[in-house]
Amino acid sequence: GNSVTQMEGPVTLSEEAFLTINCTYTATGYPSLFWYVQYPGEGLQLLLKATKADDKGSNKGFEATYRKETTSFHLEKGSVQVSDSAVYFCARTTSGTYKYIFGTGTRLKVLA
Amino acid sequence: ETGVTQTPRHLVMGMTNKKSLKCEQHLGHNAMYWYKQSAKKPLELMFVYNFKEQTENNSVPSRFSPECPNSSHLFLHLHTLQPEDSALYLCASSQTPLEGGKGTQYFGPGTRLTVL
């Protein structure tokens, strides 16, 4: 079936630490992959995306590479800030449909 | 930046009340969605509309009734809800999948619903 699996949170890091949040997917076809971020009290905001294998999405210092061979789209950031504290959702589409499949979300807490 | 607005932001209602949630998008998109976000659960897709036509109903109870009068507006009418329906209800919009499923969804801030 089609699904998205994220690492369980919460993830607690010190400021300037390296961040990795794992995401793997199962899918038929060739999905587009996304990372969304949800800050407290807000809706989801698109952080980055990749639409085909080997594409790298990047934004605000965050990066993720679409790895077809490992069906992964791990989120990374070299140096996190307190303001990065939020819930991060991995998601995918399937060609020709309106459906987006989301992971359960990973809460990140960055300490000063 | 978000071109999707939702009202109200917070709503408290009794089980016998009738209320409506409103969503409006200013992005020129043709597809609109309702999601339910509950604590410690994945986002649940409830309804999808494309060009005002409902294309998806994910086995949502009939106490939730969507309405899409045009491509810019989406409503969720609520009646005789249960306490377990308390959640954050998110609206989103996107272009139709003319890009072969490569489109991006844009979310509103959500309505925090509490059912007493």
Side-chain angles (χ1 to χ4, degrees):
Chain A
N2 297 323
S3 68
V4 173
T5 303
Q6 286 182 241
M7 60 189 293
E8 289 279 339
V11 174
T12 303
L13 296 173
S14 298
E15 206 165 23
E16 299 184 4
F18 185 86
L19 169 71
T20 299
I21 300 179
N22 290 338
C23 172
T24 57
Y25 66 94
T26 59
T28 55
Y30 303 95
S32 296
L33 302 173
F34 305 82
W35 277 100
Y36 281 85
V37 58
Q38 185 176 32
Y39 297 103
E42 299 184 14
L44 277 68
Q45 300 174 28
L46 178 67
L47 181 59
L48 53 86
K49 69 177 183 180
T51 58
K52 60 183 187 296
D54 299 326
D55 267 4
K56 177 185 282 188
S58 61
N59 185 26
K60 299 181 181 179
F62 291 90
E63 291 184 342
T65 301
Y66 190 140
R67 302 282 189 201
K68 188 179 177 183
E69 63 277 11
T70 55
T71 62
S72 65
F73 193 55
H74 304 322
L75 183 68
E76 297 182 335
K77 187 175 185 181
S79 176
V80 294
Q81 305 300 313
V82 172
S83 57
D84 294 326
S85 298
V87 181
Y88 292 81
F89 293 89
C90 186
R92 51 158 286 265
T93 62
T94 301
S95 294
T97 79
Y98 304 102
K99 293 185 71 170
Y100 291 67
I101 310 288
F102 285 85
T104 53
T106 303
R107 182 174 299 277
L108 170 66
K109 185 174 182 180
V110 180
L111 305 176
Chain B
E1 173 192 348
T2 176
V4 182
T5 58
Q6 289 186 245
T7 55
R9 293 294 308 274
H10 300 272
L11 178 61
V12 179
M13 58 187 289
M15 293 166 57
T16 58
N17 291 159
K18 287 185 180 182
K19 297 286 183 183
S20 295
L21 310 185
K22 179 183 177 182
C23 175
E24 184 173 0
Q25 59 96 359
H26 312 276
L27 300 169
H29 290 162
N30 295 311
M32 296 187 77
Y33 312 72
W34 280 117
Y35 286 89
K36 177 183 179 182
Q37 186 179 28
S38 304
K40 300 182 181 179
K41 286 186 177 181
L43 256 66
E44 299 175 49
L45 179 64
M46 300 175 72
F47 302 104
V48 182
Y49 278 81
N50 182 40
F51 287 107
K52 304 185 298 179
E53 299 297 321
Q54 188 178 126
T55 59
E56 191 89 23
N57 177 339
N58 257 10
S59 303
V60 180
S62 59
R63 57 186 184 270
F64 294 91
S65 175
E67 179 190 359
C68 189
N70 55 60
S71 293
S72 299
H73 294 86
L74 184 65
F75 295 90
L76 188 63
H77 304 300
L78 316 171
H79 64 98
T80 60
L81 294 191
Q82 305 298 311
E84 59 265 28
D85 296 323
S86 298
L88 182 68
Y89 288 85
L90 292 166
C91 175
S93 71
S94 72
Q95 287 290 4
T96 53
L98 299 177
E99 302 170 60
K102 296 180 173 59
T104 300
Q105 279 192 327
Y106 294 85
F107 284 81
T111 295
R112 174 69 62 186
L113 174 66
T114 303
V115 181
L116 303 177

